[in-house]
Amino acid sequence: MKKTIIIYGSTTGNTATAAETLAKRLDGAEVKEVSSASAADLLENDNIFLGTSTWGCGELQDDFQSFVGTIKSANLAGKNVALFGVGDQFSYSDTYCNGMGELYEAAKAAGANIIGATSTDGYSFDESSAVVDGNFVGLALDYDNQSDKSEARIDAWINNIKNLL
């Protein structure tokens, strides 16, 4: 596998849990909290996993707010970017995983090859900016309501994209 980094922002620990689980499945991947990430982390890796929770009225996790500009201004052409988002599809059904949608827009603007779209089947929400062409732009997780499905979703997602890494 090419050089891989997982950069995440987590407030309650759920996104950190997802990042650590992903790292176990991606042997050799570096894991870094976004608060200590830099543009060099984006440029030095071939595969970049970005994970965030969604807060308030659909905003990115606080630590990711200032890093979005770094993503947008990086030259990510030729790099694979896989996105994962954590949210609460029932309490915030009109903004479910919108933070992941913001990361998608930033990575797309930077010219990244975005991989890992997943089906919306099995979720119950009204709206999400993380849905493009009928699919999530990455892996959507809900540790509040469907924690029992998280491990299986992570495993299936990694199996689907592993050949691209």
Side-chain angles (χ1 to χ4, degrees), residues 48-52 54 60 80-86 96-108 112-121 123 125 128-141 157 161 164:
I48 303 161
F49 286 71
L50 300 173
T52 186
T54 299
L60 277 170
N80 292 320
V81 171
L83 307 168
F84 61 102
V86 176
Y96 180 60
C97 285
N98 276 9
M100 183 168 58
E102 283 193 51
L103 293 181
Y104 169 79
E105 292 298 330
K108 188 170 85 170
N113 176 37
I114 300 168
I115 61 172
T118 59
S119 173
T120 59
D121 293 346
Y123 298 85
F125 63 97
S128 176
S129 65
V131 174
V132 175
D133 296 329
N135 288 308
F136 287 115
V137 295
L139 175 64
L141 298 168
W157 188 57
I161 64 174
L164 301 172

Side-chain angles (χ1 to χ4, degrees), residues 3 11 33 39 47 53 74 78 86 95 101-103 106 109 118-119 139-140 143 151-152 154 156 158 162:
K3 194 168 178 191
T11 301
E33 287 187 57
N47 301 310
S53 51
V86 176
T95 59
E102 283 193 51
L103 293 181
T118 59
S119 173
L139 175 64
Y143 283 95
E151 292 266 342
I154 289 170
I158 292 299
K162 212 167 203 173

